[in-house]
Amino acid sequence: MGEVIVVTSGKGGVGKTTTAANLGTALALNEHRVVLVDADIGLRNLDVVMGLENRIVYDLVDVTSGVCRLKQALIRDKRFNENLFLLPAAQTRDKTAVTPEQMKALDEELKLEFDYVIVDCPAGIEQGFRNAIAGADRAIVVTTPEVSAVRDADRIIGLLEASEMAEVQLLINRIRPNMVKRGDMMDIDDIIDILAVDLIGVVPEDDRIVIATNRGEPAVLDSTSRSGQAFRNVACRITGEQVPLMPLEIEEGFMARMKHLLGFGR
Amino acid sequence: MLDILGKVFGRDELPSKDIAKERLRLVLVHDRATVSPQFLELIKEEVIDVITEYMEIDSNGVEVSIHSLESSVALVASIPIKKMKRAIKAV
Ligand SMILES: Nc1ncnc2c1ncn2[C@@H]1O[C@H](COP(=O)(O)OP(=O)(O)O)[C@@H](O)[C@H]1O
Ligand SMILES: [Mg+2]
């Protein structure tokens, strides 16, 4: 029996889809059987981030409304043998086209086939969110180190606790080590202190994410990318491995080095 | 709080992340207290229970609310007293 993990956040644009794509890919690379479920109905994205947008025939709503069988709607990612599949969101429907009960039933069915069912949640706290969390065993809450994102994460954590989610873990995305060092960005401890939640990982801001998304090849496939390494570590932690947090590397520019030499560095 | 931090750090400009953290702390006290209407209602009922042991109050007139101030958040309760019980002798 597999595990259903929902990737959620409250605030939009903090990296849910990026996280879902990278974690799913990393788990598949480690020989787990994974299905990515795009629950962001009406704003389909996971397909393009994965580079699978040209292969869609049926979607999630086709499955829940009985237009096709589940197997027909699953797109196999050929790069990973039989390990990675995508269930795309419907693009022409809205969130009310699916009910939490239908999502739960869908998750139950997928859990029989796969080790990990990764659900990419839409932004917000409305029905799309309710649908996405309905059948989940664990939630990964993504935030960036900014006031508005952390505030929304707090709200989401409250809602997840109220809905009795078994496990809730935080992923801090887009951290910028040099800003943290300068005191201009909240660090990991600050955020954990405020939210009082378990941490599953920290992913640095990384241009490679943009490049990876341009190509439709998740950053975990790039062995030299720092964000890719961070996501691979998170994938290992999901399976229960103890992996230490990667040190936040400071990309030092010329000016920063000069300041250090002259003793201005904090 | 921010002033004190400022002095400890010995600089007139506080790192912006400390400002962020303090603002978040305050806004989350407010958010968490007001997100569910039942929450304050629950506190109100328990406050009434405690207070009625000491005085007779108008329980319909009790108001409990959250107030944001400049650098703190306060839980404010207004409890109309009808009659005071005689003070219990201190031990
Ligand atoms: N660690 C990162 N470094 C740089 N860019 C990132 C990172 N994570 C996400 N992004 C970018 O941020 C944008 C929003 O990410 P996305 O995953 O679509 O967020 P969401 O699904 O939460 O709306 C995308 O353009 C993505 O490429
Ligand atoms: Mg998204």
Side-chain angles (χ1 to χ4, degrees):
Chain A
M1 189 74 148
E3 182 183 4
V4 180
I5 304 175
V6 61
V7 180
T8 180
S9 72
K11 187 168 154 61
V14 297
K16 290 178 294 296
T17 302
T18 305
T19 299
N22 278 285
L23 295 184
T25 305
L27 287 164
L29 283 173
N30 293 344
E31 299 300 328
H32 297 286
R33 287 191 28 98
V34 181
V35 60
L36 294 168
V37 178
D38 190 346
D40 200 346
I41 296 165
L43 289 169
R44 163 155 104 196
N45 263 169
L46 200 46
D47 55 337
V48 286
V49 175
M50 292 299 299
L52 297 171
E53 68 274 18
N54 295 324
R55 304 211 10 235
I56 298 178
V57 183
Y58 295 110
D59 59 49
L60 191 152
V61 176
D62 290 329
V63 175
T64 54
S65 60
V67 171
C68 71
R69 284 177 297 112
L70 177 55
K71 285 243 160 61
Q72 292 175 288
L74 293 178
I75 301 165
R76 185 168 74 88
D77 192 326
K78 292 173 184 147
R79 293 168 291 188
F80 310 101
N81 303 321
E82 295 292 324
N83 286 338
L84 188 58
F85 289 78
L86 169 70
L87 179 57
Q91 186 68 319
T92 55
R93 308 291 289 273
D94 67 63
K95 326 258 183 228
T96 58
V98 185
T99 65
E101 292 69 33
Q102 286 174 322
M103 271 304 287
K104 207 168 169 182
L106 177 70
D107 287 336
E108 290 299 324
E109 198 176 341
L110 288 168
K111 262 163 94 163
L112 299 174
E113 277 293 310
F114 294 93
D115 301 324
Y116 292 99
V117 181
I118 311 278
V119 183
D120 183 20
C121 181
I125 54 173
E126 314 303 332
Q127 181 163 356
F129 167 74
R130 300 259 162 235
N131 286 342
I133 69 165
D137 304 303
R138 178 201 314 226
I140 293 180
V141 177
V142 182
T143 187
T144 59
E146 285 168 84
V147 176
S148 53
V150 174
R151 181 194 199 175
D152 289 356
D154 187 76
R155 183 76 209 283
I156 287 293
I157 292 166
L159 291 171
L160 290 168
E161 283 172 355
S163 75
E164 284 165 8
M165 181 66 63
E167 212 172 347
V168 178
Q169 293 165 310
L170 189 75
L171 188 147
I172 302 172
N173 187 26
R174 309 195 76 158
I175 200 150
R176 293 166 67 176
N178 42 9
M179 288 193 77
V180 170
K181 195 164 181 225
R182 242 191 283 140
D184 278 329
M185 182 172 270
M186 285 186 284
D187 63 26
I188 302 161
D189 292 341
D190 293 328
I191 297 168
I192 295 300
D193 184 29
I194 289 166
L195 293 178
V197 66
D198 290 337
L199 183 70
I200 186 103
V202 181
V203 177
E205 171 80 23
D206 187 359
D207 290 351
R208 303 281 188 96
I209 291 285
V210 180
I211 297 167
T213 308
N214 285 344
R215 296 188 201 275
E217 295 169 357
V220 290
L221 297 174
D222 175 353
S223 60
T224 61
S225 140
R226 303 223 7 113
S227 58
Q229 181 61 52
F231 278 125
R232 287 195 296 273
N233 290 349
V234 174
C236 290
R237 291 184 199 114
I238 286 176
T239 62
E241 242 180 273
Q242 303 283 327
V243 185
L245 283 181
M246 195 164 98
L248 290 177
E249 199 174 77
I250 314 278
E251 333 84 69
E252 290 198 13
F254 174 73
M255 281 310 288
R257 275 203 301 276
M258 284 309 285
K259 275 190 183 165
H260 264 301
L261 284 176
L262 299 173
F264 291 136
R266 268 167 48 84
Chain B
M1 180 65 184
L2 287 177
D3 287 351
I4 299 165
L5 276 175
K7 273 169 199 144
V8 171
F9 278 78
R11 56 217 299 272
D12 18 307
E13 255 276 318
L14 201 63
S16 69
K17 75 123 176 183
D18 290 322
I19 300 171
K21 202 178 167 189
E22 183 61 11
R23 288 177 59 220
L24 258 172
R25 191 180 66 79
L26 294 176
V27 80
L28 289 186
V29 169
H30 196 270
D31 283 2
R32 287 177 188 178
T34 53
V35 70
S36 122
Q38 294 98 356
F39 179 73
L40 285 180
E41 209 40 50
L42 210 77
I43 292 182
K44 187 166 127 180
E45 277 165 30
E46 298 214 9
V47 164
I48 291 174
D49 280 355
V50 171
I51 299 292
T52 43
E53 292 196 11
Y54 300 92
M55 58 197 83
E56 204 177 300
I57 61 173
D58 171 13
S59 52
N60 294 320
V62 174
E63 278 175 29
V64 175
S65 55
I66 295 283
H67 285 252
S68 295
L69 309 167
E70 182 62 29
S71 62
S72 64
V73 186
L75 177 72
V76 178
S78 162
I79 307 166
I81 305 174
K82 279 191 186 158
K83 208 193 251 173
M84 208 60 191
K85 291 187 181 168
R86 209 167 277 114
I88 302 156
K89 238 203 307 202
V91 186

